[in-house]
Amino acid sequence: MNELKNLPSVDRLLSEAALHSLVAEHGRTVVTDAVRAELTFVRESVKAGAAPPANDAIAAAVGRRVAAHMRPRLQPVFNLTGTVLHTNLGRAVLPESVVEAVARAARAPCALEYDLETGGRGDRDDVVDGLLRELTGAEAATVVNNNAAAVFLLLNTLAQRKEVVVSRGELVEIGGAFRVPDIMRRAGAKLVEVGTTNRSHLRDFDEAVNAKTGLVMKVHTSNYAVQGFTAAVPEAELATLAHAHGVPFVVDLGSGTLVNLEQWGLPHEPTPRESIEAGADLVTFSGDKLLGGPQAGLLAGRRELIAKIKKNPLKRALRVGKLTLAALEATLALYRDPERLPQRLEALRLLTRSEAEIRAQAERLLPAWQAALAGWPLDAAIAPTLSQIGSGSLPVDRLPSVALVARPRGKRSGVLHKLEEALRRLPMPVIGHIADDALRLDLRCLNRAEEGAFASQLHFPPLEKGGLGGFKLAASDAIRQQIPLDPPFSKGEVE
Ligand SMILES: *Cc1c(COP(=O)(O)O)cnc(C)c1O
């Protein structure tokens, strides 16, 4: 086949002017690999009967391959899902002051495990121990990778080969991977369930506690609510019972927030201080849920229990790095000035934004939204919606908000999925939510400063009538070019 022979060589292509700048930007290795992959693809297409492309077309395809290959996988997105603390989108967004603290810790050496008073070795937990004691009323505290790790370490340290008494109504599953019964088993503790799904009484616990009991535990039912004919034993009564039998009472708070959220019109979420005041010997909670900080698991409580936990060799395996500690210290420091928290703690700022403010924003953005959807069989509008807090926090509570909405004209719900895809393929992907035959972009989490960037990228390729009565994006206009899955790019690297 002559046409195959006439295809340019790798070296010939690399000397194309268009590829010089690619090499300057990304290096010879990446561009050469992309050239090889593109040539393999072109050779196969020519063998299959396609016309051989011109060199500049091949160079352009190489450019798209390199761009797709080099694009960071951890891309920033607009979270317009209506879920403020979205686990799949990284939970709490950190305040700028916290981001600066992380950058400082990353840039230069820091006194992570170094005591600047004595010049001796320090303990990394000391970075936040004082703040956590101050903010929770606990005697001591420690930090691990996330709350799942905190619960695991607590059980493994204090209840290995012992029984842990928990109400049947609290055997929660968080996002599939964290299930209280599984974590217990892996930690070497034996779960003893008491009561029923909807009601547990003090006598249920009383009958279950015996010489084999290691802990009495309460797990906050963070991502669901048991409503109706229900009963749970107050923490203070569980604490008294546990202490009468000489065992600790521990509470997995899940989210946990350090202040009473009701002062800002949000629903009440239990705080570590409340549990500790009620008699809990240890509490665990997440750093990146309502607390609004980095991913971390916090343990706070009695000094001797924290000391035991810190001596467990698994603590070393579950510890956090300096970037997390820097973020956590800076986040916790904001809680020293609770009055200004809603302005300074980004997660709380988003949760407390007023409906009126979000509505004004929606009105500013409506013209851009309507213009973007002009070529689509969709009605663009704004409408009230309800945001959720997310991350399993306060599962039944909703916050009034306003969304940009797209509704199909007639029965064409498939078009909503095309729109959802087009939004995902924007330079800064926009993640919305489809429900009740409409796609909604809840504007609660769109910052004023980002409004312009959001609106100016809202251009979708026109729709082509596809087969089977569906719609598809016109290939020539696809904003992010689809790349054939050829070596050396693995499936995982190319969408
Ligand atoms: C979220 C949650 C966890 C897990 O916390 P992570 O920080 O996500 O590991 C554990 N227990 C409860 C009750 C939770 O709500």
Side-chain angles (χ1 to χ4, degrees):
M1 274 229 243
N2 251 350
E3 282 164 336
L4 278 182
K5 283 205 204 93
N6 289 342
L7 287 177
S9 67
V10 172
D11 287 339
R12 170 75 198 75
L13 274 174
L14 282 172
S15 65
E16 286 278 319
L19 294 193
H20 284 173
S21 58
L22 269 188
V23 170
E25 191 177 347
H26 300 290
R28 180 161 289 274
T29 307
V30 166
V31 180
T32 308
D33 285 351
V35 166
R36 287 215 176 90
E38 184 58 26
L39 281 176
T40 306
F41 172 73
V42 166
R43 227 171 276 127
E44 293 306 314
S45 342
V46 169
K47 272 192 218 158
N55 284 6
D56 58 350
I58 299 178
V62 168
R64 289 192 295 271
R65 273 180 190 277
V66 170
H69 185 61
M70 299 306 282
R71 181 169 5 100
R73 285 335 181 232
L74 199 56
Q75 269 202 85
V77 302
F78 286 109
N79 171 15
L80 306 189
T81 58
T83 301
V84 178
L85 301 167
H86 199 302
T87 298
N88 305 142
L89 302 179
R91 290 196 185 159
V93 171
L94 300 179
E96 211 45 50
S97 63
V98 174
V99 172
E100 279 163 24
V102 174
R104 265 198 309 278
R107 223 176 262 131
C110 56
L112 178 64
E113 291 186 349
Y114 185 79
D115 187 334
L116 288 169
E117 293 293 320
T118 64
R121 177 168 180 159
D123 176 346
R124 67 178 62 205
D125 282 340
D126 289 348
V127 174
V128 290
D129 175 79
L131 272 161
L132 280 169
R133 281 189 286 119
E134 184 184 319
L135 297 166
T136 64
E139 291 172 5
T142 183
V143 188
V144 287
N145 183 53
N146 55 18
N147 188 35
V151 174
F152 176 80
L153 189 61
L154 176 158
L155 291 169
N156 181 263
T157 310
L158 304 176
Q160 204 178 16
R161 288 186 288 276
K162 291 185 191 158
E163 295 180 355
V164 179
V165 185
V166 187
S167 161
R168 281 211 168 81
E170 298 174 356
L171 299 176
V172 304
E173 171 180 311
I174 315 273
F178 178 91
R179 290 173 141 193
V180 170
D182 296 344
I183 262 254
M184 290 247 182
R185 200 172 320 115
R186 288 290 178 151
K190 183 167 185 295
L191 171 65
V192 176
E193 308 171 25
V194 301
T196 60
T197 309
N198 55 330
R199 291 172 71 83
S200 302
H201 305 283
L202 190 62
R203 63 171 184 277
D204 298 323
F205 284 88
D206 200 21
E207 284 161 15
V209 177
N210 59 40
K212 287 175 277 175
T213 305
L215 293 172
V216 173
M217 185 171 188
K218 185 173 177 66
V219 181
H220 186 46
T221 58
S222 37
N223 56 1
Y224 67 102
V226 183
Q227 283 176 331
F229 185 55
T230 64
V233 188
E235 289 180 355
E237 291 179 27
L238 287 178
T240 306
L241 175 80
H243 297 158
H245 289 85
V247 296
F249 168 56
V250 300
V251 182
D252 172 13
L253 285 165
S255 188
T257 173
L258 297 167
V259 285
N260 183 359
L261 297 177
E262 285 165 313
Q263 58 187 304
W264 299 295
L266 291 168
H268 181 259
E269 174 78 11
T271 66
R273 186 182 289 278
E274 286 165 5
S275 297
I276 288 167
E277 280 174 1
D281 300 287
L282 269 183
V283 297
T284 73
F285 51 104
S286 289
D288 56 353
K289 292 186 180 173
L290 281 169
L291 188 74
Q295 181 188 306
L298 299 105
L299 291 123
R302 290 219 332 258
R303 189 174 295 108
E304 66 273 21
L305 298 181
I306 293 287
K308 266 192 195 168
I309 283 170
K310 289 172 75 145
K311 280 201 203 96
N312 187 333
L314 282 169
K315 166 67 167 62
R316 175 63 172 76
L318 301 173
R319 77 180 187 188
V320 293
K322 64 176 179 175
L323 303 185
T324 299
L325 279 169
L328 195 56
E329 181 185 27
T331 305
L332 292 172
L334 296 177
Y335 280 86
R336 283 179 160 158
D337 184 1
E339 286 74 30
R340 272 188 284 180
L341 210 51
Q343 291 92 57
R344 296 166 75 187
L345 187 69
E346 184 62 7
L348 190 58
R349 189 185 70 77
L350 296 174
L351 289 170
T352 54
R353 281 188 73 197
S354 75
E355 191 183 354
E357 183 193 326
I358 304 171
R359 175 169 299 279
Q361 183 172 34
E363 280 159 6
R364 286 194 296 276
L365 290 168
L366 182 61
W369 180 235
Q370 284 170 328
L373 296 186
W376 294 57
L378 290 164
D379 287 323
I382 59 179
T385 189
L386 294 169
S387 316
Q388 17 184 340
I389 294 166
S391 278
S393 309
L394 306 161
V396 285
D397 296 293
R398 293 288 183 274
L399 312 170
S401 183
V402 181
L404 298 174
V405 182
R407 271 183 203 287
R409 289 185 212 113
K411 280 196 177 298
R412 289 169 177 157
S413 58
V415 75
L416 286 181
H417 294 282
K418 291 295 166 198
L419 177 61
E420 185 260 345
E421 182 185 343
L423 285 162
R424 254 192 292 125
R425 290 181 184 284
L426 289 173
M428 175 132 155
V430 173
I431 318 294
H433 182 69
I434 297 178
D436 310 324
D437 285 325
L439 183 144
R440 286 182 188 78
L441 302 180
D442 182 338
L443 297 175
R444 174 172 297 278
C445 295
L446 183 65
N447 283 331
R448 177 96 210 223
E450 293 168 338
E451 252 175 65
F454 167 77
S456 64
Q457 66 161 7
L458 276 185
H459 299 292
F460 306 123
L463 279 174
E464 274 179 355
K465 199 78 175 152
L468 306 168
F471 286 85
K472 61 178 198 224
L473 295 174
S476 56
D477 287 308
I479 288 167
R480 259 206 240 131
Q481 194 76 31
Q482 295 284 305
I483 312 289
L485 299 175
D486 267 357
F489 302 101
S490 71
K491 262 202 168 87
E493 288 169 314
V494 182
E495 322 153 326

